[in-house]
Amino acid sequence: MSAQQRWPNSSTVEDFTQAFLDWPRRFPASVGSAELKHHLEDVVALVDKIELFVEEKQKESGHPDSGVLPLLQDTTHDPYVSCNDLVDISPACKQADTITDSPPIGGENCLESNHEAASDAHKSENLDWLTPEQLLELCTDEMQTSVMVSQGDRTNPSSQDFINGAIDRLVPLGINHDAYHEAVLQMGVETTTMCLIIIDRNRAHPQTPIKNPGGVLRAMTRRHAVGELRINASLIALAKRGYD
């Protein structure tokens, strides 16, 4: 994701991305250790290629500007880390990496209790009001299932779980990888994930159901390019419709 943001027109980065998108999102419980080992070797090989590419690019361009996301070789972490650490959804899912012990729906952190705070922010793109639990409530049942499968036995879903859940919905929604890739390059993975949650849920909109999810994603991508995309307002509308 960092490489995509820094070199959006690089064919090499596009090849890296396509290799990632071509991997299986999960394996069945019956998968053999040999297949898992082969997949791990593919992952490590791709990481090595990305690190080499980024290192060469940094030699060409000097030190990155302040505020640029740290890249793989800039860290001292062990390379065999959970994929949950690779990508952050921010700002809307920034809190998704934070473990919280919120009460069940109807408690102080439920959608209805937070609606007033959300309404105050609806004219901006400040999504600090949105917690991981609330975001999960905004998802369709199918999206929730995908997110929770990715979450496993952890207490709360992480940012990567929402990304995985959104990617899992691409085929059922009829959205091709080209549209997704274009959206990620233009909007970033965090905003694209939010768009997919909104699109998925609005297929059942009571007045104007979405009939062409792929076309809507491309339209949202174009609106983002000209500064006319309003994610916050759409999410608040979903929240209101969820408990009205």
Side-chain angles (χ1 to χ4, degrees), residues 189-203:
V189 69
E190 62 277 1
T191 301
T192 300
T193 297
M194 293 294 177
C195 288
L196 290 172
I197 290 174
I198 293 167
I199 290 170
D200 194 24
R201 177 76 180 277
N202 279 332
R203 289 183 305 137

Side-chain angles (χ1 to χ4, degrees), residues 51-241:
E51 288 184 331
L52 181 60
F53 171 82
V54 171
E55 183 178 356
E56 292 299 322
K57 282 293 185 180
Q58 287 189 331
K59 288 179 180 178
E60 295 174 6
S61 60
H63 295 291
D65 296 333
S66 60
V68 173
L69 293 175
L71 296 168
L72 291 174
Q73 85 288 354
D74 294 328
T75 70
T76 57
H77 296 297
D78 184 272
Y80 298 95
V81 296
S82 167
C83 63
N84 293 330
D85 297 329
L86 293 181
V87 182
D88 288 332
I89 295 182
S90 61
C93 290
K94 184 177 181 181
Q95 300 178 53
D97 288 322
T98 305
I99 302 301
T100 59
D101 294 318
S102 60
I105 298 173
E108 63 180 2
N109 287 331
C110 71
L111 290 175
E112 187 169 3
S113 299
N114 282 274
H115 172 56
E116 182 177 354
S119 297
D120 294 338
H122 83 279
K123 293 183 180 179
S124 71
E125 289 303 285
N126 179 9
L127 297 177
D128 289 344
W129 60 274
L130 189 62
T131 68
E133 294 85 356
Q134 289 173 324
L135 183 59
L136 191 63
E137 285 296 318
L138 299 184
C139 297
T140 60
D141 291 344
E142 296 84 357
M143 182 81 79
Q144 286 182 9
T145 298
S146 294
V147 172
M148 289 188 290
V149 167
S150 178
Q151 176 184 346
D153 57 2
R154 285 178 283 107
T155 305
N156 298 91
S158 72
S159 58
Q160 186 65 44
D161 296 328
F162 286 101
I163 295 171
N164 291 344
I167 291 175
D168 279 350
R169 294 294 296 153
L170 292 178
V171 173
L173 289 173
I175 298 175
N176 61 49
H177 284 301
D178 287 341
Y180 177 77
H181 182 64
E182 179 184 350
V184 170
L185 287 179
Q186 170 61 43
M187 301 187 289
V189 69
E190 62 277 1
T191 301
T192 300
T193 297
M194 293 294 177
C195 288
L196 290 172
I197 290 174
I198 293 167
I199 290 170
D200 194 24
R201 177 76 180 277
N202 279 332
R203 289 183 305 137
H205 193 282
Q207 282 82 42
T208 55
I210 288 178
K211 302 295 186 181
N212 181 5
V216 173
L217 179 61
R218 291 189 184 276
M220 296 176 85
T221 302
R222 292 193 296 270
R223 291 182 66 183
H224 181 276
V226 296
E228 296 180 354
L229 185 64
R230 299 292 180 263
I231 291 292
N232 206 6
S234 297
L235 291 173
I236 291 172
L238 293 186
K240 290 180 63 179
R241 199 164 80 237

Side-chain angles (χ1 to χ4, degrees), residues 7-55:
W7 303 288
N9 299 319
S10 170
S11 60
T12 302
V13 174
E14 185 175 353
D15 290 342
F16 294 154
T17 304
Q18 191 58 52
F20 168 75
L21 292 174
D22 288 342
W23 286 338
R25 304 316 308 165
R26 62 178 61 90
F27 289 93
S30 59
V31 67
S33 59
E35 187 173 353
L36 290 175
K37 181 179 179 181
H38 177 71
H39 180 59
L40 176 60
E41 291 172 350
D42 287 344
V43 172
V44 173
L46 182 61
V47 170
D48 289 342
K49 291 178 181 178
I50 295 173
E51 288 184 331
L52 181 60
F53 171 82
V54 171
E55 183 178 356

